[in-house]
Amino acid sequence: MHALRVTRAQDFPEWYQTVVRDADLAELSPTRGSMIIKPWGMGLWERIQGELDRRIKEAGHDNYYFPLLIPLAFFAKEAEHVEGFAKEMAVVTHHRLKQIDGELKPDPDAELTEPLIIRPTSETIIGDAFSRWVKSYRDLPLKLNQWANVMRWEMRTRMFLRTAEFLWQEGHTVHVDEADAMVETMWALELYRSFAEDFLAMPVIHGEKPENERFPGAVRTYSIEAMMQDGKALQAGTSHYLGTHFSEAQNIRYQDKEGGQTLAHTTSWGMSTRMIGGVIMTHGDDDGLRTPPAAAPRQIVVVPMLRGKPEDAELKAYCAALVAELNKLSAFGWPVRAYVDIKDAKPADKRWDWVRRGAPLICEIGPRDAANGQVTFIKRNALREGDKIKSHSVSRADFIAQAAKLLEETQAELYAEAKARMDNNIRADFKTFADLEAYYGTEDTEGEFKGWARVHWARPTGDALEKVGERLKALKLTIRNAPASQPSSFGKCIFSGEQAVEEILIARAY
């Protein structure tokens, strides 16, 4: 039946890798820990990038670009930041190669006077520029964004979820005070929440990270957390209030209204190609990827059932005319993206190529369909009825009339399915840490679907928080965030027995 060779229930990690390969999203690169993003994967990223970029610019931000290489001295200025990334930094030490004993090696005479870091994130070098660009309160707020690649030398990699090099956007802003910077921080968090839910049909819970999960150098970190089909959490986007930490290190000051020199408050926020991994694990099924229509590079794929005969010309013309009409339509406020696949391959093979890629609507048009003015199609999110492929046959006019609505309905159905899964798998009945241990068990049960825990806690800090982290680590759990939506009263903290002050989400995570 052309299903994947492994199901989610059999081996979820292997299923994930199979979808990445069979949906033609990416492949491993000869460069250690990196990936080659193929056209369908890149098309999905371009859709993510385009819509997110539109929303960022609509809110008054401008794009810019900074160098890939950052002087080591820039990181040395911010101790907490460099400590957080030190183990992940890739370092450039020489500026040319030389034939030595028959091998290309770094030229000993070409060692750099100062090593350069391949950017793991850009706060330090951007902060240096902000110190020159910001002179007066009239320059603020300064709201900028960069689309770039970054490198973090990961030891264990998985395509899209955790690779040494990945693509992302990083917003960086400068403000007169904490209040203005916090407005920006929370705006970015809401940007990511609405983008994930509206554009990718990926339900999330947004909230603040605990002290031990903050971005290195941040005063406060906020995240959106999505539940994958194996019950694990995926941190899908983060927003950070950096206070004046980076301003102190980089001397970002402005002349205030009274003529004095004041430290600026800064923020940063980012979303990456990790979102493609989130789409796979939120929406994929045992036949491959199911791409949310709003983000699909090709929303409607028309597959003519060519037979290598003269009458194929008429069938191709019928399909081309259908696609031309579909591309005049609008869904989600944008032109529909329809495509006719006329490559020389068996129709069934072409159909399954698009099933595995997750094209939302797949039309199979044969000579009889063309002669009768019909369209036979399948909805990728409702592919099967039992073991059989569920197809629909309507008139050409009716298909054109309902195509945009079908795409929007599919988007809503994917979201509703994922939202129900998340809501039904967050347990909130844990009273003690022993209850948590009994539920999550030992490392031997890590592969079992367990969902998330929502528990009361007293918001410990310092050593007390570190001990909480160690107890959770033994169960391979982490605190994801304190959801923005909180109850009006709280019970006892499951870690200390003290009066709780909020609820937090706990889960195994990617």
Side-chain angles (χ1 to χ4, degrees), residues 87-108:
K87 294 180 180 179
E88 300 176 349
M89 290 185 185
V91 187
V92 177
T93 57
H94 292 71
H95 64 79
R96 68 170 173 258
L97 301 174
K98 184 178 181 179
Q99 285 279 355
I100 300 176
D101 298 329
E103 295 182 20
L104 272 178
K105 296 181 179 181
D107 186 343

PDB file of all heavy atoms in Angstrom, residues 87-108:
ATOM      1  N   LYS A  87      30.986  25.208  24.789  1.00  0.00           N
ATOM      2  CA  LYS A  87      31.178  23.843  24.327  1.00  0.00           C
ATOM      3  C   LYS A  87      30.649  23.614  22.919  1.00  0.00           C
ATOM      4  O   LYS A  87      30.861  22.548  22.335  1.00  0.00           O
ATOM      5  CB  LYS A  87      30.497  22.876  25.299  1.00  0.00           C
ATOM      6  CG  LYS A  87      31.141  22.845  26.682  1.00  0.00           C
ATOM      7  CD  LYS A  87      30.415  21.872  27.602  1.00  0.00           C
ATOM      8  CE  LYS A  87      31.048  21.848  28.979  1.00  0.00           C
ATOM      9  NZ  LYS A  87      30.334  20.911  29.901  1.00  0.00           N
ATOM     10  N   GLU A  88      29.938  24.596  22.371  1.00  0.00           N
ATOM     11  CA  GLU A  88      29.328  24.428  21.051  1.00  0.00           C
ATOM     12  C   GLU A  88      30.004  25.269  19.979  1.00  0.00           C
ATOM     13  O   GLU A  88      29.595  25.240  18.828  1.00  0.00           O
ATOM     14  CB  GLU A  88      27.841  24.809  21.117  1.00  0.00           C
ATOM     15  CG  GLU A  88      27.031  23.970  22.089  1.00  0.00           C
ATOM     16  CD  GLU A  88      25.597  24.420  22.197  1.00  0.00           C
ATOM     17  OE1 GLU A  88      25.273  25.516  21.681  1.00  0.00           O
ATOM     18  OE2 GLU A  88      24.782  23.706  22.783  1.00  0.00           O
ATOM     19  N   MET A  89      31.037  26.029  20.332  1.00  0.00           N
ATOM     20  CA  MET A  89      31.625  26.973  19.383  1.00  0.00           C
ATOM     21  C   MET A  89      32.621  26.296  18.447  1.00  0.00           C
ATOM     22  O   MET A  89      33.481  25.532  18.880  1.00  0.00           O
ATOM     23  CB  MET A  89      32.323  28.108  20.130  1.00  0.00           C
ATOM     24  CG  MET A  89      31.374  29.062  20.840  1.00  0.00           C
ATOM     25  SD  MET A  89      32.264  30.440  21.583  1.00  0.00           S
ATOM     26  CE  MET A  89      30.938  31.280  22.437  1.00  0.00           C
ATOM     27  N   ALA A  90      32.497  26.606  17.162  1.00  0.00           N
ATOM     28  CA  ALA A  90      33.470  26.185  16.159  1.00  0.00           C
ATOM     29  C   ALA A  90      34.419  27.363  15.918  1.00  0.00           C
ATOM     30  O   ALA A  90      33.975  28.502  15.760  1.00  0.00           O
ATOM     31  CB  ALA A  90      32.780  25.797  14.858  1.00  0.00           C
ATOM     32  N   VAL A  91      35.726  27.090  15.901  1.00  0.00           N
ATOM     33  CA  VAL A  91      36.736  28.145  15.903  1.00  0.00           C
ATOM     34  C   VAL A  91      37.572  28.104  14.629  1.00  0.00           C
ATOM     35  O   VAL A  91      38.049  27.038  14.219  1.00  0.00           O
ATOM     36  CB  VAL A  91      37.670  27.999  17.132  1.00  0.00           C
ATOM     37  CG1 VAL A  91      38.621  29.194  17.232  1.00  0.00           C
ATOM     38  CG2 VAL A  91      36.857  27.847  18.414  1.00  0.00           C
ATOM     39  N   VAL A  92      37.749  29.259  14.002  1.00  0.00           N
ATOM     40  CA  VAL A  92      38.630  29.409  12.843  1.00  0.00           C
ATOM     41  C   VAL A  92      39.955  29.985  13.333  1.00  0.00           C
ATOM     42  O   VAL A  92      39.978  31.055  13.947  1.00  0.00           O
ATOM     43  CB  VAL A  92      38.016  30.338  11.776  1.00  0.00           C
ATOM     44  CG1 VAL A  92      38.984  30.533  10.605  1.00  0.00           C
ATOM     45  CG2 VAL A  92      36.689  29.772  11.282  1.00  0.00           C
ATOM     46  N   THR A  93      41.058  29.268  13.063  1.00  0.00           N
ATOM     47  CA  THR A  93      42.358  29.691  13.594  1.00  0.00           C
ATOM     48  C   THR A  93      43.373  30.065  12.514  1.00  0.00           C
ATOM     49  O   THR A  93      44.386  30.696  12.820  1.00  0.00           O
ATOM     50  CB  THR A  93      42.963  28.578  14.462  1.00  0.00           C
ATOM     51  OG1 THR A  93      43.072  27.385  13.665  1.00  0.00           O
ATOM     52  CG2 THR A  93      42.071  28.300  15.682  1.00  0.00           C
ATOM     53  N   HIS A  94      43.141  29.651  11.243  1.00  0.00           N
ATOM     54  CA  HIS A  94      44.100  29.927  10.171  1.00  0.00           C
ATOM     55  C   HIS A  94      43.368  30.501   8.955  1.00  0.00           C
ATOM     56  O   HIS A  94      42.180  30.240   8.759  1.00  0.00           O
ATOM     57  CB  HIS A  94      44.848  28.652   9.757  1.00  0.00           C
ATOM     58  CG  HIS A  94      45.771  28.126  10.815  1.00  0.00           C
ATOM     59  ND1 HIS A  94      45.322  27.543  11.979  1.00  0.00           N
ATOM     60  CD2 HIS A  94      47.140  28.105  10.875  1.00  0.00           C
ATOM     61  CE1 HIS A  94      46.361  27.188  12.716  1.00  0.00           C
ATOM     62  NE2 HIS A  94      47.479  27.501  12.067  1.00  0.00           N
ATOM     63  N   HIS A  95      44.111  31.239   8.112  1.00  0.00           N
ATOM     64  CA  HIS A  95      43.478  31.875   6.965  1.00  0.00           C
ATOM     65  C   HIS A  95      43.925  31.281   5.627  1.00  0.00           C
ATOM     66  O   HIS A  95      43.520  31.770   4.572  1.00  0.00           O
ATOM     67  CB  HIS A  95      43.708  33.383   6.983  1.00  0.00           C
ATOM     68  CG  HIS A  95      45.134  33.820   6.839  1.00  0.00           C
ATOM     69  ND1 HIS A  95      45.787  33.859   5.630  1.00  0.00           N
ATOM     70  CD2 HIS A  95      46.041  34.240   7.769  1.00  0.00           C
ATOM     71  CE1 HIS A  95      47.023  34.287   5.809  1.00  0.00           C
ATOM     72  NE2 HIS A  95      47.206  34.528   7.106  1.00  0.00           N
ATOM     73  N   ARG A  96      44.724  30.206   5.630  1.00  0.00           N
ATOM     74  CA  ARG A  96      45.017  29.525   4.369  1.00  0.00           C
ATOM     75  C   ARG A  96      45.561  28.127   4.657  1.00  0.00           C
ATOM     76  O   ARG A  96      45.952  27.799   5.775  1.00  0.00           O
ATOM     77  CB  ARG A  96      46.016  30.317   3.521  1.00  0.00           C
ATOM     78  CG  ARG A  96      47.419  30.406   4.069  1.00  0.00           C
ATOM     79  CD  ARG A  96      48.389  30.990   3.040  1.00  0.00           C
ATOM     80  NE  ARG A  96      49.692  31.210   3.644  1.00  0.00           N
ATOM     81  CZ  ARG A  96      50.155  32.387   4.033  1.00  0.00           C
ATOM     82  NH1 ARG A  96      49.413  33.473   3.869  1.00  0.00           N
ATOM     83  NH2 ARG A  96      51.364  32.488   4.575  1.00  0.00           N
ATOM     84  N   LEU A  97      45.577  27.311   3.577  1.00  0.00           N
ATOM     85  CA  LEU A  97      46.102  25.955   3.640  1.00  0.00           C
ATOM     86  C   LEU A  97      47.424  25.867   2.889  1.00  0.00           C
ATOM     87  O   LEU A  97      47.750  26.725   2.067  1.00  0.00           O
ATOM     88  CB  LEU A  97      45.091  24.967   3.046  1.00  0.00           C
ATOM     89  CG  LEU A  97      43.706  24.921   3.704  1.00  0.00           C
ATOM     90  CD1 LEU A  97      42.786  23.998   2.907  1.00  0.00           C
ATOM     91  CD2 LEU A  97      43.812  24.461   5.141  1.00  0.00           C
ATOM     92  N   LYS A  98      48.129  24.772   3.149  1.00  0.00           N
ATOM     93  CA  LYS A  98      49.431  24.588   2.504  1.00  0.00           C
ATOM     94  C   LYS A  98      49.697  23.086   2.342  1.00  0.00           C
ATOM     95  O   LYS A  98      49.285  22.286   3.175  1.00  0.00           O
ATOM     96  CB  LYS A  98      50.531  25.213   3.382  1.00  0.00           C
ATOM     97  CG  LYS A  98      51.927  25.166   2.781  1.00  0.00           C
ATOM     98  CD  LYS A  98      52.927  25.845   3.705  1.00  0.00           C
ATOM     99  CE  LYS A  98      54.323  25.845   3.119  1.00  0.00           C
ATOM    100  NZ  LYS A  98      55.289  26.531   4.035  1.00  0.00           N
ATOM    101  N   GLN A  99      50.339  22.723   1.235  1.00  0.00           N
ATOM    102  CA  GLN A  99      50.744  21.338   1.035  1.00  0.00           C
ATOM    103  C   GLN A  99      51.920  21.037   1.956  1.00  0.00           C
ATOM    104  O   GLN A  99      52.996  21.613   1.841  1.00  0.00           O
ATOM    105  CB  GLN A  99      51.160  21.106  -0.419  1.00  0.00           C
ATOM    106  CG  GLN A  99      50.009  21.021  -1.406  1.00  0.00           C
ATOM    107  CD  GLN A  99      49.356  19.639  -1.414  1.00  0.00           C
ATOM    108  OE1 GLN A  99      49.828  18.713  -0.738  1.00  0.00           O
ATOM    109  NE2 GLN A  99      48.266  19.512  -2.161  1.00  0.00           N
ATOM    110  N   ILE A 100      51.679  20.107   2.913  1.00  0.00           N
ATOM    111  CA  ILE A 100      52.727  19.714   3.849  1.00  0.00           C
ATOM    112  C   ILE A 100      52.789  18.189   3.845  1.00  0.00           C
ATOM    113  O   ILE A 100      51.801  17.528   4.174  1.00  0.00           O
ATOM    114  CB  ILE A 100      52.434  20.231   5.278  1.00  0.00           C
ATOM    115  CG1 ILE A 100      52.342  21.758   5.277  1.00  0.00           C
ATOM    116  CG2 ILE A 100      53.510  19.753   6.247  1.00  0.00           C
ATOM    117  CD1 ILE A 100      51.951  22.347   6.620  1.00  0.00           C
ATOM    118  N   ASP A 101      53.942  17.649   3.439  1.00  0.00           N
ATOM    119  CA  ASP A 101      54.107  16.194   3.356  1.00  0.00           C
ATOM    120  C   ASP A 101      53.026  15.550   2.489  1.00  0.00           C
ATOM    121  O   ASP A 101      52.482  14.485   2.808  1.00  0.00           O
ATOM    122  CB  ASP A 101      54.097  15.563   4.756  1.00  0.00           C
ATOM    123  CG  ASP A 101      55.246  16.066   5.622  1.00  0.00           C
ATOM    124  OD1 ASP A 101      56.305  16.382   5.054  1.00  0.00           O
ATOM    125  OD2 ASP A 101      55.058  16.147   6.849  1.00  0.00           O
ATOM    126  N   GLY A 102      52.689  16.249   1.390  1.00  0.00           N
ATOM    127  CA  GLY A 102      51.721  15.709   0.454  1.00  0.00           C
ATOM    128  C   GLY A 102      50.269  15.857   0.864  1.00  0.00           C
ATOM    129  O   GLY A 102      49.382  15.338   0.185  1.00  0.00           O
ATOM    130  N   GLU A 103      49.994  16.562   1.974  1.00  0.00           N
ATOM    131  CA  GLU A 103      48.617  16.752   2.437  1.00  0.00           C
ATOM    132  C   GLU A 103      48.323  18.238   2.616  1.00  0.00           C
ATOM    133  O   GLU A 103      49.213  19.033   2.955  1.00  0.00           O
ATOM    134  CB  GLU A 103      48.395  16.045   3.774  1.00  0.00           C
ATOM    135  CG  GLU A 103      48.524  14.540   3.707  1.00  0.00           C
ATOM    136  CD  GLU A 103      48.250  13.892   5.067  1.00  0.00           C
ATOM    137  OE1 GLU A 103      47.615  14.560   5.912  1.00  0.00           O
ATOM    138  OE2 GLU A 103      48.671  12.744   5.276  1.00  0.00           O
ATOM    139  N   LEU A 104      47.036  18.596   2.363  1.00  0.00           N
ATOM    140  CA  LEU A 104      46.602  19.962   2.645  1.00  0.00           C
ATOM    141  C   LEU A 104      46.389  20.127   4.139  1.00  0.00           C
ATOM    142  O   LEU A 104      45.593  19.408   4.748  1.00  0.00           O
ATOM    143  CB  LEU A 104      45.296  20.268   1.902  1.00  0.00           C
ATOM    144  CG  LEU A 104      45.408  20.816   0.484  1.00  0.00           C
ATOM    145  CD1 LEU A 104      44.009  21.008  -0.099  1.00  0.00           C
ATOM    146  CD2 LEU A 104      46.173  22.150   0.461  1.00  0.00           C
ATOM    147  N   LYS A 105      47.119  21.068   4.730  1.00  0.00           N
ATOM    148  CA  LYS A 105      47.013  21.331   6.159  1.00  0.00           C
ATOM    149  C   LYS A 105      47.020  22.845   6.398  1.00  0.00           C
ATOM    150  O   LYS A 105      47.456  23.604   5.531  1.00  0.00           O
ATOM    151  CB  LYS A 105      48.178  20.691   6.915  1.00  0.00           C
ATOM    152  CG  LYS A 105      48.219  19.175   6.843  1.00  0.00           C
ATOM    153  CD  LYS A 105      49.388  18.613   7.650  1.00  0.00           C
ATOM    154  CE  LYS A 105      49.416  17.089   7.586  1.00  0.00           C
ATOM    155  NZ  LYS A 105      50.547  16.545   8.385  1.00  0.00           N
ATOM    156  N   PRO A 106      46.524  23.290   7.552  1.00  0.00           N
ATOM    157  CA  PRO A 106      46.627  24.721   7.862  1.00  0.00           C
ATOM    158  C   PRO A 106      48.086  25.162   7.826  1.00  0.00           C
ATOM    159  O   PRO A 106      48.968  24.490   8.381  1.00  0.00           O
ATOM    160  CB  PRO A 106      46.049  24.816   9.287  1.00  0.00           C
ATOM    161  CG  PRO A 106      45.143  23.639   9.403  1.00  0.00           C
ATOM    162  CD  PRO A 106      45.793  22.547   8.602  1.00  0.00           C
ATOM    163  N   ASP A 107      48.326  26.256   7.153  1.00  0.00           N
ATOM    164  CA  ASP A 107      49.681  26.800   7.039  1.00  0.00           C
ATOM    165  C   ASP A 107      50.116  27.345   8.404  1.00  0.00           C
ATOM    166  O   ASP A 107      49.469  28.250   8.951  1.00  0.00           O
ATOM    167  CB  ASP A 107      49.682  27.930   6.005  1.00  0.00           C
ATOM    168  CG  ASP A 107      51.076  28.456   5.712  1.00  0.00           C
ATOM    169  OD1 ASP A 107      51.996  28.192   6.507  1.00  0.00           O
ATOM    170  OD2 ASP A 107      51.229  29.154   4.691  1.00  0.00           O
ATOM    171  N   PRO A 108      51.177  26.810   8.996  1.00  0.00           N
ATOM    172  CA  PRO A 108      51.630  27.302  10.303  1.00  0.00           C
ATOM    173  C   PRO A 108      51.929  28.797  10.312  1.00  0.00           C
ATOM    174  O   PRO A 108      51.842  29.449  11.365  1.00  0.00           O
ATOM    175  CB  PRO A 108      52.902  26.483  10.558  1.00  0.00           C
ATOM    176  CG  PRO A 108      52.765  25.271   9.705  1.00  0.00           C
ATOM    177  CD  PRO A 108      52.013  25.715   8.488  1.00  0.00           C
TER     178      PRO A 108
END
